[in-house]
Amino acid sequence: MTPELTLWLNGEYLDASQRHTGGLAHALHYGTGVFEGIRAYDTEAGPAVFRFDEHLERMRQGAELLGMPLDVDQIKSVTMELLQRNQHRSAYVRPIAYYGAGGLKLDMDVLESHVLVATLPWKSHLGDTTQGVSLTASPFRRLSHKSLPPLKFTGIYVTSCIAKRDATKRGFDEALFIDDDGYVCEATGENVFIVKNGQVIAVEHPDALPGITRATIIEMSGAASRRVHVDELKDADEVFLTGTSAEVAPVSHLDGNPFTVGSVTLELQAAYQDIVHGRDQTFSHWLTTA
Ligand code: PMP
């Protein structure tokens, strides 16, 4: 983190270079935190946060399960202030609520929760995706929704981190989670779509994060949402990934199986850019400005 960056923690604006998390933070030991990944885009009306309410509602659901209070309106106003203080015209917005030090028992009720908001300069974590992202079937499984609802709990992300490490070590850009029955779940930080004969299908899976970019693409394209077996995915004309960070990213292949970086994906990618940058007024209600 660059030293000149300002972030907000528990009501105070702080220099990002200061230490914030003690080694005894409950969240560090047990993953008892919940976060969001949100983006602010440069628009004619200034920096605009895309689908702020939907992101914060997902975070609120996670906080509720952890028994944490969460002041969503405060996070909204702090974010707008941070964008200004950090002079960000566009940024990645990372709010996180987590349990701090106070005991290493598993009972959370005795603990104090902390809320931090950071705004960071950002480009897609997948880098330049013009040539398409290479995917590999992960040997790891995404945690079942029966074990943990698929929300953005910090603890759940260790699976994504390990799967991503395995994929990149083997020379791929990204890992694809597939369940024991061969149904596609999601990638480590993105949802999955397939295109067959011009039809767009959003991969649905109970263990996958209910992605906000996914919902956006469904609303824009009228895509069907249903389960997709990996054999059906391999037979698709085009495959693409969606996520706040990755936006709309074409897939070039899954292991040895190639896909076209095709016109349906590229058109949706361009239309998404028009929406997030406020050039498409139909969806301007999804943008929050100061
Ligand atoms: N799946 C996982 C596991 C993710 O971390 C993300 C990124 N938040 C997504 C899907 C995509 O979700 P969204 O479009 O809301 O960013």
Side-chain angles (χ1 to χ4, degrees):
M1 220 174 262
T2 44
E4 66 274 16
L5 215 60
T6 300
L7 50 75
W8 182 90
L9 176 66
N10 300 330
E12 260 189 287
Y13 291 95
L14 300 169
D15 188 318
S17 63
Q18 286 174 245
R19 285 167 174 272
H20 304 295
T21 306
L24 287 176
H26 199 264
L28 182 64
H29 293 257
Y30 304 127
T32 48
V34 62
F35 68 99
E36 262 308 321
I38 310 170
R39 262 170 101 152
Y41 287 91
D42 192 4
T43 73
E44 260 183 15
V49 182
F50 186 60
R51 305 202 73 174
F52 214 170
D53 290 330
E54 291 84 346
H55 279 282
L56 293 179
E57 171 53 23
R58 188 167 66 186
M59 186 173 174
R60 193 201 59 74
Q61 287 172 19
E64 192 173 36
L65 213 67
L66 289 169
M68 273 178 192
L70 193 72
D71 187 341
V72 162
D73 290 334
Q74 186 179 46
I75 294 178
K76 280 181 96 166
S77 61
V78 159
T79 300
M80 300 325 284
E81 174 69 24
L82 279 175
L83 289 171
Q84 208 185 15
R85 286 187 187 219
N86 287 322
Q87 298 182 352
H88 283 144
R89 291 201 57 87
S90 65
Y92 186 74
V93 180
R94 167 55 60 89
I96 179 166
Y98 62 96
Y99 282 119
L104 287 178
K105 292 183 184 161
L106 299 182
D107 179 8
M108 297 184 284
D109 291 344
V110 298
L111 299 168
E112 204 179 319
S113 64
H114 301 274
V115 180
L116 178 145
V117 185
T119 62
L120 309 164
W122 201 259
K123 289 201 175 84
S124 168
H125 64 288
L126 291 174
D128 179 8
T129 61
T130 359
Q131 303 300 314
V133 173
S134 63
L135 278 185
T136 181
S138 182
F140 298 96
R141 299 283 173 264
R142 167 93 177 161
L143 198 66
S144 163
H145 65 286
K146 293 176 189 162
S147 297
L148 192 65
L151 294 166
K152 289 185 82 75
F153 294 112
T154 57
I156 201 175
Y157 273 84
V158 70
T159 312
S160 280
C161 295
I162 290 172
K164 176 88 178 184
R165 179 164 189 267
D166 166 72
T168 51
K169 269 177 74 179
R170 292 192 285 113
F172 294 90
D173 297 319
E174 180 54 310
L176 182 68
F177 290 122
I178 299 168
D179 72 15
D180 284 338
D181 299 319
Y183 285 94
V184 178
C185 183
E186 62 179 342
T188 66
E190 305 86 29
N191 294 112
V192 183
F193 282 73
I194 64 168
V195 182
K196 184 73 184 174
N197 300 326
Q199 265 209 316
V200 185
I201 297 147
V203 173
E204 190 175 299
H205 197 287
D207 302 342
L209 186 82
I212 289 157
T213 321
R214 178 184 186 274
T216 302
I217 297 294
I218 292 175
E219 196 157 334
M220 286 162 61
S221 66
S225 175
R226 62 167 170 79
R227 284 200 182 222
V228 172
H229 195 274
V230 69
D231 290 340
E232 184 182 359
L233 180 133
K234 283 181 184 161
D235 188 44
D237 303 323
E238 301 174 33
V239 174
F240 63 90
L241 305 177
T242 63
T244 296
S245 173
E247 302 174 313
V248 177
V251 173
S252 58
H253 55 279
L254 168 66
D255 294 309
N257 196 108
F259 305 107
T260 313
V261 175
S263 60
V264 177
T265 304
L266 296 178
E267 276 165 28
L268 282 170
Q269 193 179 49
Y272 183 77
Q273 288 301 316
D274 284 343
I275 290 172
V276 294
H277 287 99
R279 297 186 291 261
D280 180 346
Q281 287 301 306
T282 332
F283 297 104
S284 57
H285 56 282
W286 281 340
L287 294 169
T288 303
T289 47

